[in-house]
Amino acid sequence: MNSNIKNRDEIEDRYKWNLGAMYKSLEEVKQDMAKVQELLEQFKSYGGRLDNRETILEALLLQDQCDQLMEKCYTFAHMRLDQDNTNTESLALFDQVKTLYVFYSETFSFFIPELMKLDYAHLQSYGQEEKFQDYRHFIKEIGRNKEHILSESEERILSSFGELAGAPKSIFQILNNADLKFGTVTNEKNEPLELTHGRYQLFMQSGSRKVRQAAYNELYRVYTSFKNTIAQTLGNSVKKDCLWARLRKHNSALEASLFADNVSVSVYQQLIQAVHNNIGYLHKYIDFRRQVMKLPELHMYDLYVPLVTELNKEYSYEEAVETMYQGLSHLGETYLQDLKQGLENGWVDVFENKGKTSGAYSTGAYGSHPYILLNFNHTMNDVFTLAHEAGHAMHTYYSHRNQPYRNASYTIFLAEVASTLNENLLIHYLLGQTTQPKEKLFLLNYNLEQYRTTVYRQTMFAEFEKMIHERVEQGGSLTPDSLCEMYYDLNKFYYQGVVLDDEIAMEWARIPHFYNAFYVYKYATGFSAAVALANQILSGEPEARARYLEFLSSGGKDYPLELLKKAGVNMETPQPVEECLRTFGQRLEMAIQVPH
C-alpha cells in the first residue's frame, strides 16, 4: 500500500469519475447558470396569476425545467470541488452556484403558498387529468399540508424568525466545532496528541485500554464543564420544536416531525417497543464482547474496540469490485450488468488524492448518471463501503430512469435501505466463503456493530428525544441534572452488563443530531427494512427480488411507508424490527461459535 498521497493528475483516468458526461467545460456550466437566471425571471411573472389549470401547469413545467438545471449545476460544482478542494477555479464556481441557489430559493417562495390558497377540490380535479399525471402526488401533498399552513402574513412572520429558530443549533455547532478545546491524550507510542473529535473515534478503537479511558475521561471532563451552556442550547432547541408544532396545529413535536413523511407516531413508538422487547440480544452481545476482550468488566470506552483488528488481507480495487458482484448476485443479471456498465464508464472516483474530500458518498442529478466518491484504501471495510455506495447509486439510477423528474427523488426515510441491503447481501456471501476463524469473526464483529450502533444506539437516541420533548410539552424544564438523569437511566437499561461511569450521563451534550429532532429513528427503521428485504431475497421467496427492484425504480412517487409495503415490508407493524433483531441474535450465535 502506497502511503504517499498523489496529486490528482498522477492518478489514472480509469480510476476517476467522468464529470465530462455532465459538462464538457466550465463555459457550458456557466451557460446553464445563465439559463437558470432567465427561467427564474420568467417564473416571477406567475406571481398572483395561479388561477387556472393552464397557468398552473405552465408554472409547474417551468419550475421542473429550472429545478433540473439548478440541480445539475449544483451537483457538478460540488463534485468538481470535492475532487480537489485546492482548485481555485472550482472554489469560485461553487461560490457562484451557491449564490444562484439563494436567488432560486427566493424566487420560488411564493409558489406553494399561492397554490395552498386555491380551492383544493379544483386542484384535485386537475390531478385527474392526464396532462397533470406527473403532479398527482405533489397535489396530494398540498391537500395534506393545507390545514398546517397559516395565513400569508403569519407564514411571513414565521419565516422571518427562521434564523433565530436555528440559533440553538448554530450556537451548539460553533461551540462544539470551534470553541471547545480538549486537552492531550498520550497514545500507545507514549506521544502526547491533542484530543479532537476525529481523534476521539480513533482513541476509542485503540488496543490500549489506558489510552481509551484517558480519551473518554478527558472528552467528558470538557463537556461537563460546559453542561449549563449546552443544556440551555438543547433546551431552547426543544422549546422551538414544541412551539413550531403548536403553531402549525400538530398535537406534538414528534407528530409534526413525522408528518413530512406521512408517518404515524405509532411507527416511532413501535420501534422503541420492539427494541425494548429484544434488548436481551444486546446484553448477550455485551457479555460476549467482554469475554473475547478477556476483561473482568466492560466500560463504555470498551465498546468500540474491534474484536479482530483489520485483517492483513488487502484488496485491489478490481478485486473489491469482483467480490461485490459476487455478493450482489442475488439481485439478478440485469442489476449486475447495469452496475457493471456504470462502474466501467466513469461513475466512480476511486482513490485519495491531495485536496480530495474525505469519506464516501453517492450523488447524482436527474438526466445524468449517478456518481460515487470513494477514498479506497484496499481494506475489507473499503469493499463494504463500495457496496454501500453502489446501493445508493443504483437506487438513484433506477428511480431517475423510471420516474418523471417531479417523482424521481426518494426521501431520507428510504435513503439507507438500498445501501444497507447491499451490505447485508455482501456479508452473507463473505461468511459463506471464509474458512478462517479470524476472518469470520472480523466479518461478524463488523456486522454486529452495525446492528448495535444503527438499531440499538439510534433507537436509544430516539427514545431520549421523545422523552425531552414530552417533558417540555408537559410544562417541565430541561436542566443539566434532569438531562443527565434521563440519559443515564436510558444507558442503564440499554447497556446492562456495562459498568456505567458517571461520564456517560453527559453524552447527550455532544450529539449534533439532537438539534435536528426526530431524525435518527430513520437510521433504525431503514436498517430494519433492509434486513427484512435482504432476508426475503436470500430465502428465495418468489417475487421478492422483483418487488425490491420495483422499489428501486419508484423514487418518491408515493409515501415511503407505502413504497416499502409494495416491496414486502410493513413498517407500520413491529414485525420488521423484530425480525431484524432476531437476525442480530442469529449472527451473535454464529460469532459465539467461532474459536477465539
Side-chain angles (χ1 to χ4, degrees):
M1 199 184 303
N2 188 355
S3 60
N4 294 321
I5 299 172
K6 295 180 178 180
N7 291 316
R8 186 159 184 84
D9 59 11
E10 295 176 287
I11 291 173
E12 293 177 58
D13 285 346
R14 66 192 173 115
Y15 295 122
K16 293 189 238 184
W17 56 24
N18 176 21
L19 297 188
M22 290 182 82
Y23 289 110
K24 296 278 187 290
S25 66
L26 287 185
E27 192 50 47
E28 282 188 9
V29 191
K30 287 173 181 174
Q31 285 168 8
D32 269 0
M33 288 168 69
K35 181 69 175 168
V36 169
Q37 285 187 301
E38 283 175 35
L39 295 173
L40 290 173
E41 290 300 335
Q42 284 180 45
F43 196 83
K44 285 179 181 177
S45 70
Y46 287 94
R49 294 200 299 120
L50 300 173
D51 53 8
N52 63 79
R53 57 165 58 77
E54 286 74 24
T55 308
I56 291 169
L57 183 60
E58 279 176 23
L60 285 166
L61 290 166
L62 183 59
Q63 186 183 41
D64 284 356
Q65 189 186 353
C66 190
D67 279 359
Q68 283 187 59
L69 277 179
M70 184 72 244
E71 182 184 290
K72 189 179 176 188
C73 292
Y74 188 92
T75 303
F76 177 87
H78 93 70
M79 285 195 297
R80 194 177 195 271
L81 182 60
D82 284 346
Q83 69 188 21
D84 182 1
N85 286 272
T86 65
N87 186 300
T88 52
E89 239 182 3
S90 298
L91 278 164
L93 177 68
F94 192 51
D95 279 344
Q96 289 159 16
V97 170
K98 283 193 294 184
T99 302
L100 179 60
Y101 191 81
V102 172
F103 178 46
Y104 155 91
S105 301
E106 288 170 353
T107 303
F108 286 124
S109 62
F110 75 87
F111 190 49
I112 299 294
E114 281 202 23
L115 290 179
M116 290 279 185
K117 281 193 244 171
L118 299 175
D119 184 308
Y120 182 61
H122 282 154
L123 266 183
Q124 265 186 314
S125 69
Y126 303 160
Q128 303 315 306
E129 299 173 23
E130 191 175 338
K131 58 190 174 185
F132 276 92
Q133 65 176 348
D134 291 351
Y135 302 102
R136 282 172 191 160
H137 187 65
F138 171 75
I139 289 170
K140 193 195 296 186
E141 273 294 87
I142 286 177
R144 205 172 66 87
N145 279 277
K146 205 169 172 72
E147 66 175 293
H148 301 290
I149 299 297
L150 309 179
S151 71
E152 192 174 347
S153 59
E154 287 170 331
E155 283 292 339
R156 205 178 303 116
I157 292 167
L158 267 191
S159 179
S160 69
F161 275 95
E163 198 173 344
L164 284 176
K169 181 178 181 177
S170 58
I171 291 167
F172 174 75
Q173 285 175 330
I174 293 292
L175 179 68
N176 200 41
N177 298 321
D179 290 347
L180 286 189
K181 298 296 178 204
F182 306 100
T184 58
V185 173
T186 303
N187 70 6
E188 303 87 336
K189 298 174 183 172
N190 214 28
E191 301 165 330
L193 291 176
E194 183 188 352
L195 179 60
T196 63
H197 292 296
R199 280 193 185 142
Y200 179 73
Q201 301 306 322
L202 294 174
F203 284 137
M204 285 298 100
Q205 294 171 36
S206 168
S208 164
R209 201 177 195 205
K210 186 179 174 185
V211 169
R212 297 196 302 270
Q213 185 178 5
Y216 179 83
N217 290 343
E218 174 57 21
L219 187 91
Y220 286 112
R221 178 191 68 76
V222 174
Y223 278 107
T224 302
S225 70
F226 283 89
K227 69 179 182 179
N228 296 307
T229 301
I230 302 174
Q232 276 291 308
T233 58
L234 182 57
N236 279 294
S237 185
V238 172
K239 284 178 188 173
K240 176 264 297 178
D241 297 334
C242 299
L243 173 62
W244 249 233
R246 239 180 10 257
L247 292 173
R248 292 212 176 277
K249 303 169 193 162
H250 291 284
N251 294 317
S252 66
L254 174 58
E255 183 185 280
S257 178
L258 303 189
F259 181 81
D261 285 321
N262 199 24
V263 170
S264 70
V265 170
S266 64
V267 171
Y268 198 95
Q269 292 166 332
Q270 281 176 174
L271 167 68
I272 294 170
Q273 191 55 53
V275 168
H276 279 214
N277 293 345
N278 292 276
I279 201 69
Y281 292 130
L282 179 59
H283 298 160
K284 189 172 182 179
Y285 171 60
I286 286 165
D287 191 53
F288 167 69
R289 175 171 267 282
R290 182 188 59 75
Q291 290 176 43
V292 174
M293 293 178 73
K294 298 181 171 58
L295 294 171
E297 58 185 29
L298 213 61
H299 287 253
M300 295 304 285
Y301 48 77
D302 297 320
L303 290 177
Y304 292 91
V305 186
L307 296 181
V308 177
T309 51
E310 180 64 71
L311 300 173
N312 291 327
K313 193 171 185 175
E314 284 192 10
Y315 289 82
S316 69
Y317 175 66
E318 288 72 19
E319 286 169 338
V321 169
E322 192 51 46
T323 303
M324 176 182 68
Y325 289 153
Q326 295 297 324
L328 302 185
S329 61
H330 288 274
L331 295 178
E333 198 56 40
T334 302
Y335 181 99
L336 289 178
Q337 282 305 318
D338 287 340
L339 177 56
K340 190 169 195 271
Q341 177 74 13
L343 297 192
E344 291 175 359
N345 286 280
W347 282 21
V348 192
D349 206 77
V350 180
F351 296 114
E352 184 179 7
N353 58 251
K354 285 177 184 171
K356 184 175 174 180
T357 294
S358 61
Y361 66 68
S362 173
T363 189
Y366 193 81
S368 303
H369 63 66
Y371 288 88
I372 295 170
L373 179 136
L374 298 175
N375 281 276
F376 191 82
N377 207 24
H378 306 282
T379 69
M380 177 78 84
N381 281 343
D382 292 314
V383 184
F384 281 105
T385 300
L386 172 64
H388 181 101
E389 299 306 335
H392 284 307
M394 293 301 285
H395 195 176
T396 300
Y397 177 70
Y398 284 133
S399 286
H400 285 191
R401 199 170 74 174
N402 290 283
Q403 296 300 323
Y405 177 73
R406 184 67 62 155
N407 297 332
S409 297
Y410 45 87
T411 68
I412 296 292
F413 190 93
L414 300 175
E416 292 302 321
V417 174
S419 53
T420 310
L421 181 135
N422 277 13
E423 290 198 66
N424 272 276
L425 295 180
L426 182 57
I427 277 275
H428 177 83
Y429 167 73
L430 290 169
L431 285 171
Q433 294 297 302
T434 184
T435 55
Q436 300 297 318
K438 187 178 178 186
E439 187 173 342
K440 193 166 193 177
L441 188 57
F442 174 88
L443 290 165
L444 287 165
N445 176 221
Y446 177 92
N447 194 218
L448 291 168
E449 278 296 290
Q450 284 184 306
Y451 283 89
R452 180 181 78 79
T453 57
T454 311
V455 183
Y456 285 108
R457 180 170 165 81
Q458 300 302 330
T459 302
M460 185 182 83
F461 286 171
E463 189 170 356
F464 179 68
E465 287 184 295
K466 183 171 177 285
M467 290 166 69
I468 60 180
H469 283 81
E470 283 175 351
R471 179 167 288 211
V472 168
E473 284 163 346
Q474 290 159 10
S477 61
L478 297 175
T479 64
D481 289 346
S482 67
L483 287 164
C484 287
E485 185 183 346
M486 283 187 277
Y487 198 81
Y488 190 85
D489 286 345
L490 277 174
N491 274 275
K492 202 154 52 173
F493 173 75
Y494 277 81
Y495 288 100
Q496 187 181 311
V498 177
V499 175
L500 292 183
D501 311 285
D502 292 342
E503 285 84 355
I504 198 60
M506 276 303 298
E507 190 181 37
W508 59 267
R510 58 177 285 257
I511 309 298
H513 272 116
F514 290 159
Y515 295 85
N516 190 6
F518 306 115
Y519 178 90
V520 294
Y521 89 100
K522 298 176 190 182
Y523 292 124
T525 52
F527 190 95
S528 299
V531 170
L533 290 168
N535 287 349
Q536 288 171 19
I537 292 167
L538 289 168
S539 71
E541 183 187 319
E543 302 304 313
R545 181 168 75 196
R547 285 197 310 265
Y548 175 66
L549 294 177
E550 178 61 29
F551 164 78
L552 292 185
S553 300
S554 298
K557 72 175 183 180
D558 205 343
Y559 297 114
L561 292 180
E562 297 308 310
L563 293 175
L564 284 172
K565 272 184 205 166
K566 287 171 191 163
V569 179
N570 186 355
M571 295 305 297
E572 291 181 305
T573 74
Q575 193 268 333
V577 182
E578 299 269 359
E579 182 187 340
C580 171
L581 296 177
R582 279 197 301 275
T583 305
F584 172 68
Q586 290 161 7
R587 293 276 159 86
L588 176 56
E589 286 303 322
M590 288 174 70
I592 290 168
Q593 301 306 317
V594 177
H596 53 267

